[in-house]
Amino acid sequence: MATNYFSEEIIFLILSYLPVISLLRFKSVCKTWLSIIKSPQFVEAHLANSRNKQASVLKASYYWGVFSMDSVEESVELKLPSRLEGMVYYMRSCNGLVCLSNESSYDICIWNPCTRQYKMLNAPNYSINNVGACLGFGFDSVGNDYKILRIVTKVTRNTWGFIINMGNFSEAQLYSANADTWKMIRTPDTIKMSFWHKLKRFCGPDISGKLYMEGEGELLPFDLRNDLFGEIVVLPFPDYVEQKRIKKSKILDFEGSVAMVYESAGDESVMSLWMLDDDGLWIKKFNLEMDLELDRTYLYLGAQHFLGLNFVFGYKFYNYTKKTTKKLPFPAHLTDVKSVAKFTQSLVSLEGFQSQE
């Protein structure tokens, strides 16, 4: 009955613009709709349409165990897979899938919060003397494969288990969802040990098929398509250089390019967005307004919206064209938010996914 009035092509098109929660219900309308919604072509088309909408924000509250998905209009509390409740320390999202881990980055989960499906992973070569230094998650568009990059540093511990010395090298481990296996990746010999020792715990987001690690005023890219590290990129105003600039952001994905926010010091301080161009040069894209009062910028969500944090008043959405801010709704305490991620709804699923309880 549902297909008498419209062709399958029209039904396909209409459904591809709907939210995931509606599509899950509509699977039971008829066999035709079920077949359309389950097809890989539909999943891809729906994801493409979702990317054109303003993304939501995922926030993980570490001590309170609260996980929420927020937009400009509303905040929705989500239920985590039971094995990770109260343990989320790391979070990154790509194409509607979310990579979560505990503090050691040994227990890792790939989760689709919209379809409520997930898969648990164990990192390889577990040892008390291996410390997960950095974790990244992204998509290889050539191989149609989701990958997790894990940087591990060797440490020496005393009798009581406390770290007394960082090792002289780091190793890289790469998980492929297609192969469902981990493999070792060679790290460049040219990287200084000081870079690894000051490596930030979280990789930046997947930006055009690359992950970026930050350490000692530099970025190290990793290409997800060929599984290789690239050349070091020096930040526009490295921490160790006496520049009168203060870094005010994490690594940002701004319209498919690497970007950072810096604030000039002095009486007339100005916050500016700096973007890395195709030639490896940093270019100032634009200034943000003078009285923005954001202590840190975490995400660019598209549709001219940034997510930032004021240490006193909490998280805010900022529209850089309209120069407006809006406080982010949040159903729990703000002080213990451990990780935030840009999130796009999708029906993407992986081999081995199981449904949440």
Side-chain angles (χ1 to χ4, degrees):
M1 185 72 178
T3 58
N4 288 343
Y5 302 103
F6 298 104
S7 67
E8 285 194 24
E9 290 77 11
I10 295 299
I11 294 172
F12 183 107
L13 181 62
I14 294 172
L15 293 178
S16 70
Y17 284 93
L18 298 181
V20 172
I21 190 171
S22 299
L23 295 172
L24 296 179
R25 292 200 306 266
F26 291 164
K27 280 184 175 182
S28 60
V29 169
C30 64
K31 290 183 179 179
T32 299
W33 285 30
L34 174 63
S35 176
I36 290 173
I37 294 170
K38 289 178 63 177
S39 71
Q41 295 81 5
F42 180 83
V43 173
E44 186 175 340
H46 179 267
L47 175 60
N49 290 335
S50 295
R51 286 198 191 112
N52 291 327
K53 303 173 184 176
Q54 182 181 316
S56 299
V57 178
L58 293 180
K59 298 198 305 302
S61 171
Y62 186 61
Y63 297 109
W64 290 85
V66 174
F67 199 94
S68 67
M69 178 168 63
D70 303 317
S71 66
V72 175
E73 293 81 20
E74 62 177 349
S75 177
V76 178
E77 191 171 331
L78 302 175
K79 182 175 175 56
L80 287 165
S82 56
R83 285 183 59 182
L84 275 176
E85 285 182 353
M87 296 175 57
V88 174
Y89 186 85
Y90 166 89
M91 175 174 60
R92 282 291 180 268
S93 178
C94 178
N95 293 346
L97 298 182
V98 184
C99 180
L100 308 167
S101 85
N102 60 356
E103 190 166 1
S104 68
S105 74
Y106 180 69
D107 291 316
I108 300 172
C109 175
I110 302 177
W111 176 47
N112 186 324
C114 291
T115 63
R116 293 176 54 80
Q117 294 180 309
Y118 73 101
K119 180 176 183 177
M120 295 297 304
L121 310 171
N122 286 328
N125 304 327
Y126 175 74
S127 167
I128 193 173
N129 294 322
N130 289 347
V131 175
C134 187
L135 202 67
F137 176 60
F139 180 61
D140 167 13
S141 59
V142 175
N144 194 31
D145 194 8
Y146 290 88
K147 298 178 179 180
I148 299 172
L149 178 67
R150 183 174 184 259
I151 307 297
V152 177
T153 298
K154 304 290 185 180
V155 299
T156 303
R157 299 177 184 269
N158 61 19
T159 308
W160 297 277
F162 295 105
I163 297 174
I164 58 175
N165 183 48
M166 299 293 288
N168 292 325
F169 70 96
S170 294
E171 64 181 38
Q173 304 162 348
L174 188 71
Y175 174 79
S176 161
N178 283 354
D180 194 24
T181 57
W182 292 86
K183 69 177 181 180
M184 303 298 294
I185 299 292
R186 180 179 176 84
T187 56
D189 298 329
T190 54
I191 305 300
K192 298 176 292 185
M193 279 311 305
S194 57
F195 177 89
W196 298 119
H197 287 168
K198 294 185 178 181
L199 187 66
K200 305 291 186 184
R201 287 298 304 270
F202 306 145
C203 281
D206 176 354
I207 305 176
S208 300
K210 292 182 180 180
L211 301 174
Y212 289 82
M213 288 143 278
E214 182 183 353
E216 201 187 33
E218 298 172 325
L219 301 179
L220 175 62
F222 180 80
D223 195 321
L224 292 162
R225 288 161 292 196
N226 54 32
D227 299 345
L228 291 174
F229 288 95
E231 298 293 325
I232 283 286
V233 177
V234 178
L235 292 177
F237 307 101
D239 297 338
Y240 54 81
V241 176
E242 287 298 323
Q243 301 275 1
K244 292 184 178 180
R245 303 268 180 172
I246 303 169
K247 183 157 66 72
K248 304 286 284 190
S249 79
K250 303 289 187 180
I251 301 169
L252 302 175
D253 176 1
F254 184 79
E255 307 293 358
S257 296
V258 180
M260 307 280 280
V261 174
Y262 282 85
E263 182 178 29
S264 58
D267 296 332
E268 297 184 2
S269 62
V270 178
M271 290 177 64
S272 306
L273 183 81
W274 292 76
M275 193 175 72
L276 188 67
D277 69 9
D278 294 337
D279 297 320
L281 301 175
W282 291 96
I283 298 173
K284 187 167 78 169
K285 189 72 175 176
F286 52 79
N287 291 333
L288 285 73
E289 63 180 303
M290 296 281 287
D291 57 349
L292 189 54
E293 296 183 349
L294 290 181
D295 298 297
R296 181 70 66 180
T297 306
Y298 282 97
L299 302 169
Y300 177 67
L301 302 170
Q304 296 85 48
H305 277 84
F306 287 93
L307 173 72
L309 174 66
N310 180 287
F311 294 149
V312 176
F313 299 106
Y315 286 90
K316 293 182 177 181
F317 289 112
Y318 168 62
N319 186 311
Y320 74 88
T321 54
K322 295 182 179 179
K323 310 296 184 185
T324 57
T325 60
K326 182 176 180 179
K327 189 174 180 179
L328 191 66
F330 189 43
H333 296 263
L334 288 169
T335 54
D336 74 322
V337 172
K338 202 65 187 178
S339 187
V340 295
K342 174 182 176 180
F343 179 72
T344 299
Q345 290 194 24
S346 83
L347 291 162
V348 174
S349 181
L350 298 180
E351 187 72 28
F353 261 16
Q354 56 184 301
S355 297
Q356 283 180 247
E357 303 82 355

